[in-house]
Amino acid sequence: MAKYLNETSRTFSEFLLIPGLTTKDCVPPKVSLKTPLTKYAKGQTPDIELNVPFVSAIMQSVSNDGMAIALAKNGGVSFVFGSQTIQDQAEMIRKVKNHKSGFVISTANLTQEHTLRDVIALKAKTGHSTIAITDDGTAEGKLLGIVTSRDYRVGTDSHDKKVKEFMTPFSKLVTAQLGCTLKEANDLIWEHKLNSLPVIDEEARFRFFVFRKDYDNHKDNPYELTDKQKKLVVGAGINTRDYKERVPALVEAGADILCIDSSDGFSEWQRDTLQYIKQEFGDKVKVGAGNVVDKEGFLYLVESGADFIKVGVGGGSICITRETKGIGRGQATALIEVAEARDKYFEETGIYVPICSDGGIAQDYHMVLALAMGADFLMMGRYFARFDESPTRKLLVNGNYVKEYWGEGSNRARNWERYDMGDTDGLKFEEGVDSYVPYAGTLKDNLAITLGKIKSTMCSCGTLSIKELKDNARITLVSSVSIVEGGAHDVIVKE
Ligand code: RVP
């Protein structure tokens, strides 16, 4: 006879946190949101820690190189989507690892034989007013000069005028040598009152621009997450089919952490993938696995070698796995059980395996609830899809700006590798939808507001770290009537 669990599958919206004593020391600027990303032994520190407890979802519509750069600059990690060719995914990883904060590879370059007309057209196309002039018109050619909007007058100068007649030539440029630090570049910018500084190599080949405004931005990123070489940390999604080719390519490209991407990860295919990675690369390559929704799934993947475990089946905003396959569990119920299993495993073995709550965060307050229920960090798709940095189009629909957002299990993504079922034919049904989400602006601005709310809630609970929150939070179940009480009620709200 089937086993019937005497439980109700619960979601985040069914819970609230009860405030604890807030001492005068307990203020948002003192709250630390540092959290482990990979497993560690008692008394040691994890090899990778996040500065904010967020990772972006392994999805075409969320995590490309642009999102990865933006999120790492703000303290989290993106898992670049794996539903693309191995070469394309490795190239995205390379772009993130080669990104040097403040050192910008120019996308607006011309030769000195081009004309003012070309300059105006390139500026309109790229939005960049500083153009590098190189011998072959590429971003790696020999630097011959630069053109900025101070070098020409659109209304007066002939548009046929050659670039060489009005550019600032190399002989008059202040340049920096490749290998200089951002601080050194910035000192030159200040000393010579520049807006941009070209960086060249020993053969005078153009490599980067450093802009005055970017240095200021860089100083504004106190949470930036970098590796030992000061390169941004980046993750990559993998599957249980082509891992023998994909994993070495991603490792070669510099991925700091991998994660097997599947809606149901309690499988022998995940075990084989984990064992292969650990046998081939030892502990050098970190890899998360999932998704699971119970203690058994958690222990199975931990014993197979996973460095973190992802929790959640069917809770994602674009996910219809529960409707399609009839599998899943309320996200809060799943998380609470897996968190208990993680703590017990830690007590028994001295090994702490972080867990990630994946999907179903619909409100900012759900984030702090998930952390209080035991999540070490959260994976989110919808949240990040709304920002400028997500890879999708921004459109005007019914007078409102929206961004596109589609599931990895949708027909649009065609990511059939997510099914951990070997090379079985016929597993080509949809378990995700194609949708819009309201456009919300930049990642940095939105994250600042979200983190402010989380820190404020943590202070209300009298806690200054995620660990303290987990240990001390008091969580209550709410009735549907008290949910009504929680919003504005019995008043006429002014427009
Ligand atoms: P959300 O943040 O609620 O948008 O959920 C994102 C999560 O949904 C992903 O991290 C993944 O686990 C899951 N997902 C992605 N695609 C699909 C699908 O097509 N069913 N589900």
Side-chain angles (χ1 to χ4, degrees):
M1 197 180 132
K3 196 168 171 188
Y4 176 76
L5 301 189
N6 191 15
E7 69 170 31
T8 307
S9 253
R10 301 220 177 259
T11 67
F12 296 126
S13 292
E14 294 174 85
F15 296 90
L16 282 177
L17 286 159
I18 298 176
L21 172 68
T22 307
T23 62
K24 287 183 181 162
D25 270 350
C26 199
V27 287
K30 291 197 181 163
V31 172
S32 162
L33 293 175
K34 240 184 168 32
T35 190
L37 179 60
T38 52
K39 72 179 171 201
Y40 61 95
K42 201 173 187 164
Q44 298 188 341
T45 43
D47 284 345
I48 312 180
E49 281 179 297
L50 297 167
N51 290 333
V52 302
F54 297 161
V55 299
S56 69
I58 311 169
M59 298 173 73
Q60 295 170 5
S61 52
V62 181
S63 299
N64 66 348
D65 46 320
M67 174 61 73
I69 290 169
L71 186 50
K73 280 186 170 176
N74 286 283
V77 164
S78 284
F79 284 87
V80 170
F81 67 95
S83 50
Q84 57 179 326
T85 66
I86 296 174
Q87 293 71 19
D88 288 350
Q89 192 187 15
E91 188 50 34
M92 284 192 180
I93 298 295
R94 245 177 246 117
K95 282 193 185 146
V96 182
K97 294 311 282 185
N98 289 337
H99 176 88
K100 284 181 88 185
S101 284
F103 290 85
V104 179
I105 297 177
S106 173
T107 49
N109 314 290
L110 290 173
T111 68
Q112 55 178 353
E113 297 306 322
H114 280 100
T115 61
L116 178 56
R117 184 171 295 104
D118 298 316
V119 169
I120 294 167
L122 189 61
K123 185 179 168 201
K125 187 171 152 213
T126 62
H128 300 309
S129 52
T130 305
I131 296 172
I133 309 303
T134 59
D135 60 349
D136 59 4
T138 71
E140 299 97 42
K142 248 194 172 87
L143 187 67
L144 303 180
I146 66 169
V147 168
T148 72
S149 33
R150 288 191 208 157
D151 295 318
Y152 55 87
R153 287 194 296 176
V154 177
T156 324
D157 294 351
S158 159
H159 288 198
D160 292 324
K161 203 169 166 185
K162 290 259 165 91
V163 163
K164 62 183 167 197
E165 296 169 46
F166 61 91
M167 70 181 186
T168 307
F170 185 78
S171 57
K172 293 209 177 129
L173 285 178
V174 178
T175 57
Q177 277 299 316
L178 188 64
C180 70
T181 64
L182 195 54
K183 160 110 186 37
E184 287 160 353
N186 186 57
D187 287 346
L188 281 173
I189 285 175
W190 278 91
E191 200 180 312
H192 297 275
K193 298 188 166 96
L194 308 170
N195 281 325
S196 62
L197 174 74
V199 179
I200 54 172
D201 65 15
E202 58 286 354
E203 289 164 23
R205 289 193 171 277
F206 178 51
R207 299 301 297 274
F208 305 108
F209 273 128
V210 177
F211 294 101
R212 175 190 293 261
K213 63 177 179 14
D214 285 351
Y215 183 76
D216 293 338
N217 284 346
H218 175 66
K219 285 199 299 184
D220 284 348
N221 291 330
Y223 287 132
E224 190 165 87
L225 194 66
T226 53
D227 62 17
K228 289 194 183 95
Q229 280 86 42
K230 297 271 171 251
K231 293 178 175 182
L232 297 174
V233 172
V234 62
I238 58 170
N239 62 66
T240 56
R241 309 214 189 172
D242 64 12
Y243 57 92
K244 290 189 182 161
E245 293 85 47
R246 193 173 289 271
V247 171
L250 294 172
V251 171
E252 226 265 307
D256 297 275
I257 182 147
L258 309 174
C259 183
I260 309 174
D261 177 32
S262 172
S263 56
D264 167 21
F266 190 4
S267 78
E268 291 187 340
W269 283 279
Q270 292 230 353
R271 181 201 58 196
D272 292 352
T273 307
L274 290 165
Q275 288 178 348
Y276 164 83
I277 294 173
K278 291 299 169 183
Q279 270 157 21
E280 288 296 309
F281 301 95
D283 203 35
K284 273 205 325 264
V285 172
K286 307 287 180 191
V287 54
N291 288 8
V292 299
V293 287
D294 63 3
K295 175 179 146 198
E296 286 76 18
F298 169 81
L299 290 174
Y300 183 81
L301 294 178
V302 167
E303 275 149 24
S304 303
D307 289 289
F308 71 85
I309 305 291
K310 233 154 35 85
V311 180
V313 171
S317 57
I318 32 49
C319 183
I320 51 169
T321 296
R322 293 182 195 169
E323 290 174 1
T324 315
K325 291 176 66 181
I327 58 162
R329 200 177 196 186
Q331 187 62 14
T333 304
L335 188 57
I336 292 165
E337 179 172 317
V338 175
E340 249 176 52
R342 179 217 37 219
D343 291 346
K344 190 147 183 285
Y345 188 80
F346 182 53
E347 260 172 46
E348 288 168 4
T349 64
I351 305 290
Y352 188 91
V353 185
I355 58 174
C356 167
S357 176
D358 177 15
I361 298 285
Q363 305 285 340
D364 283 1
Y365 87 88
H366 290 169
M367 301 173 187
V368 72
L369 268 170
L371 295 169
M373 286 171 182
D376 293 282
F377 58 98
L378 318 174
M379 178 171 272
M380 296 181 290
R382 188 199 59 86
Y383 178 79
F384 290 111
R386 300 170 306 143
F387 303 151
D388 285 321
E389 293 82 353
S390 77
T392 67
R393 287 184 301 168
K394 176 180 157 192
L395 305 167
L396 193 60
V397 174
N398 298 335
N400 296 309
Y401 280 110
V402 294
K403 295 264 298 187
E404 293 182 295
Y405 179 43
W406 62 90
E408 284 298 295
S410 67
N411 276 338
R412 181 162 182 184
R414 308 191 67 76
N415 182 2
W416 315 124
E417 277 74 27
R418 290 179 84 233
Y419 299 109
D420 285 351
M421 302 207 177
D423 282 330
T424 324
D425 274 343
L427 281 176
K428 294 203 166 126
F429 52 84
E430 274 195 302
E431 55 173 335
V433 299
D434 190 358
S435 70
Y436 298 124
V437 284
Y439 166 69
T442 69
L443 179 145
K444 192 178 177 64
D445 290 348
N446 282 278
L447 204 60
I449 295 170
T450 300
L451 296 180
K453 288 186 201 167
I454 293 179
K455 288 178 177 180
S456 168
T457 309
M458 287 170 68
C459 291
S460 285
C461 295
T463 58
L464 284 173
S465 69
I466 292 175
K467 167 134 184 25
E468 277 179 29
L469 178 71
K470 282 201 205 107
D471 291 347
N472 300 314
R474 290 178 303 152
I475 302 171
T476 180
L477 198 59
V478 290
S479 69
S480 49
V481 184
S482 76
I483 292 176
V484 175
E485 185 187 54
H489 61 90
D490 302 309
V491 293
I492 301 165
V493 178
K494 291 183 187 170
E495 282 303 316

